[in-house]
Amino acid sequence: MPMSLLDIWLGILQGLGTTAAVTAYGLVFAVPFALVFGVAQFLTHGVMRLLVTGVIEFWRSTAVIILLFVFYYALPVVGITLSALTVSAMVLGLNAGGYASQAVRAGLQALPPGQKEAGAALGLSRPAILLLIELPQALIAMSPTFVNTLIQLVKATALVSLVTLTDMTFRAKEIAQVEYNPVAIYTALLLAFFAVCYPIALAGRWLEARVAAPGSRSSGI
């Protein structure tokens, strides 16, 4: 008896745990990378800035599918073996972090120069000005962008089935092998990703409204 759309959808959701794990571990790579390299690109100049930008552009501009294959299938040739979960989280996280780092840099650059001058007038060091004055304001303003980055990270997990992880896309492929109904199967997969991403998008809209509201902390100190 052919599977119904609901049965297919529930079968696909059996891979939700893997999708969630890759997303969560991906954030462990993405957030520190975005903060460290976004701030570094904002503060550095000359050759050092070129080096920082080079690292960012490597992760931001290289195709994710190629990075997955290289780190999972090519590294063992030189004696480095990483688990599929580690490779997936690292590649997707650093790719997302590359994009988010530009939001960090742009958010810092958008702050009025008077913020830094006021901190200097109070006798604060440059690191203290960054940590106590600039970053808190920039991060509040950038919070909707980070929500969008999270959504992109969730959607990118559709690629991890290529390195044998049993995520939602992998489950859809498994069902497709025994149930020839591509329209229903991939419609159910689409609905599964929509069910995961849409609540995050709603949270992002709420957060964006809070940030943009008059009197919010992002308006300055």
Side-chain angles (χ1 to χ4, degrees), residues 17-197:
T18 300
T19 297
V22 173
T23 302
Y25 288 125
L27 288 174
V28 173
F29 287 95
V31 174
F33 184 92
L35 292 175
V36 170
F37 281 84
V39 170
Q41 195 175 36
F42 171 67
L43 293 177
T44 56
H45 303 280
V47 175
M48 185 57 67
R49 182 164 186 169
L50 287 175
L51 292 174
V52 171
T53 302
V55 174
I56 292 172
E57 291 303 322
F58 171 80
W59 290 106
R60 195 166 74 111
S61 303
T62 307
V64 171
I65 188 172
I66 296 174
L67 290 171
L68 284 172
F69 283 138
V70 168
F71 280 91
Y72 188 70
Y73 292 108
L75 284 184
V77 175
V78 295
I80 302 174
T81 302
L82 300 174
S83 69
L85 180 59
T86 300
V87 168
S88 299
M90 180 180 69
V91 168
L92 299 187
L94 294 180
N95 176 261
Y99 285 98
S101 70
Q102 298 308 286
V104 174
R105 175 191 54 78
L108 291 169
Q109 288 179 337
L111 293 175
Q115 301 286 339
K116 183 174 70 173
E117 295 169 1
L122 293 172
L124 297 177
S125 65
R126 187 66 183 93
I129 293 172
L130 176 68
L131 293 175
L132 299 178
I133 298 177
E134 294 175 311
L135 265 181
Q137 295 180 82
L139 289 176
I140 291 172
M142 291 182 299
S143 52
T145 300
F146 278 103
V147 173
N148 291 334
T149 301
L150 173 59
I151 294 174
Q152 294 298 325
L153 184 56
V154 173
K155 292 190 293 185
T157 61
L159 295 172
V160 303
S161 62
L162 298 173
V163 290
T164 71
L165 284 181
T166 312
D167 70 318
M168 294 194 296
T169 304
F170 191 92
R171 287 289 300 138
K173 293 177 180 178
E174 285 186 327
I175 295 171
Q177 291 176 354
V178 297
E179 189 79 15
Y180 184 74
N181 191 352
V183 174
I185 291 169
Y186 290 103
T187 297
L189 180 60
L190 183 151
L191 293 175
F193 273 99
F194 179 78
V196 173
C197 293

Side-chain angles (χ1 to χ4, degrees), residues 2-12 175:
M3 296 175 66
S4 67
L5 181 62
L6 178 60
D7 291 334
I8 294 172
W9 188 69
L10 292 175
I12 288 172
I175 295 171

